[in-house]
Amino acid sequence: MIDVYSTATPNGHKVHIMLEECGLPWQAHHIDIGAGDQFKPDFLKISPNNKIPAITDSDGPDGKPISLFESGAILVYLASKVGRFLGETDREKFETLQWLMFQMGGVGPMLGQAHHFRMYAPEKIEYAINRYTNEAKRLYGVIDRRLAESQYLAGNSYTIADIATFPWLRSWEKQGIVLADYPHLKRWFDEIAERPAVKKGTQMFVKQRNTVIDDKAREVLYGATQYAKR
């Protein structure tokens, strides 16, 4: 049994989707990041960076339990466990991994900043909004050009690169993006959105998500609590 500690964010949805795609038995544990659940000692034992998602697997690689944090590492682990979504040849695997790293190092952080400064920052900083909105547009362009020559990000097979990237593009309007400006990306996006595992995975924890960030949650997420020594 795989236990998943997560909430309804793009990084969380990556793992929810992956588990549904793999058909592995799993149970969900909600981590309320607005209330500070991510700083509790039990969670920090499996996620020392106090970020969701994290998993524990009672049947690890050597038959012993294992815990993992960082969504990209979790996707690689699950793909290796089931022998799917990573590519079959070494060439295919490295192609997948480079696009996964593109999401981890670029798409996630930059679109997250665009979302933050456009939607949640307590003051509207024009420089920050313009910088991250323009970077979002640049990254969408990179993806669109890739998908003009390839059915999926890593080639002609659906992989963890697609699973990792898709949840981050679901908030395109809030990132200052017009999806129709990227027709190849939109073709890919619409196809993936119809996958049953994607539909189910992106609904995980949505009912528990607080859509309004009050002052307390804002302080937990972006204030001194986030940076306290532990």
Side-chain angles (χ1 to χ4, degrees):
M1 176 64 69
I2 295 175
D3 290 277
V4 181
Y5 303 84
S6 186
T7 193
T9 70
N11 283 336
H13 287 326
K14 294 179 196 176
V15 175
H16 312 156
I17 292 168
M18 182 62 173
L19 285 162
E20 289 297 322
E21 294 281 12
C22 292
L24 293 168
W26 63 290
Q27 56 186 2
H29 307 270
H30 184 236
I31 301 298
D32 187 341
I33 59 176
D37 288 354
Q38 67 272 36
F39 305 117
K40 293 180 178 179
D42 286 348
F43 183 69
L44 290 174
K45 287 179 181 178
I46 60 173
S47 183
N49 194 33
N50 61 257
K51 304 293 184 183
I52 64 92
I55 70 167
T56 60
D57 183 359
S58 60
D59 182 23
D62 51 3
K64 299 177 182 178
I66 188 173
S67 66
L68 289 167
F69 68 103
E70 284 295 331
S71 57
I74 295 170
L75 292 183
V76 173
Y77 171 75
L78 294 174
S80 300
K81 185 179 180 73
V82 299
R84 299 170 62 199
F85 307 116
L86 185 57
E88 296 182 3
T89 67
D90 285 345
R91 182 176 295 274
E92 290 172 346
K93 290 176 182 177
F94 287 121
E95 190 79 17
T96 299
L97 289 173
Q98 73 173 350
W99 285 102
L100 175 65
M101 295 304 108
F102 168 77
Q103 187 283 308
M104 297 295 296
V107 171
M110 294 299 103
L111 298 191
Q113 293 291 350
H115 201 126
H116 176 79
F117 283 106
R118 292 174 61 89
M119 303 295 297
Y120 296 120
E123 56 183 301
K124 297 300 181 184
I125 304 171
E126 184 177 2
Y127 174 83
I129 292 171
N130 290 338
R131 170 176 167 76
Y132 290 112
T133 301
N134 287 335
E135 180 63 5
K137 292 177 180 178
R138 188 189 72 81
L139 291 166
Y140 273 74
V142 172
I143 297 170
D144 191 63
R145 290 190 297 274
R146 171 58 176 169
L147 293 171
E149 63 184 21
S150 178
Q151 183 177 0
Y152 300 104
L153 285 172
N156 293 321
S157 297
Y158 175 72
T159 69
I160 55 175
D162 304 292
I163 293 170
T165 304
F166 174 81
W168 278 101
L169 308 189
R170 294 175 69 232
S171 297
W172 51 270
E173 289 180 292
K174 295 178 180 178
Q175 297 156 5
I177 297 296
V178 177
L179 203 61
D181 290 344
Y182 308 92
H184 306 292
L185 185 153
K186 186 177 185 303
R187 180 268 306 162
W188 166 90
F189 182 93
D190 290 344
E191 176 186 335
I192 290 178
E194 290 302 312
R195 295 180 69 92
V198 173
K199 289 182 177 180
K200 188 171 182 179
T202 52
Q203 287 304 305
M204 284 299 304
F205 300 121
V206 168
K207 291 182 179 179
Q208 293 96 322
R209 180 176 59 195
N210 293 322
T211 57
V212 178
I213 298 181
D214 57 22
D215 289 342
K216 180 180 179 181
R218 187 183 298 276
E219 196 285 323
V220 169
L221 291 168
Y222 311 127
T225 300
Q226 184 69 232
Y227 306 109
K229 185 177 180 180
R230 294 180 174 84

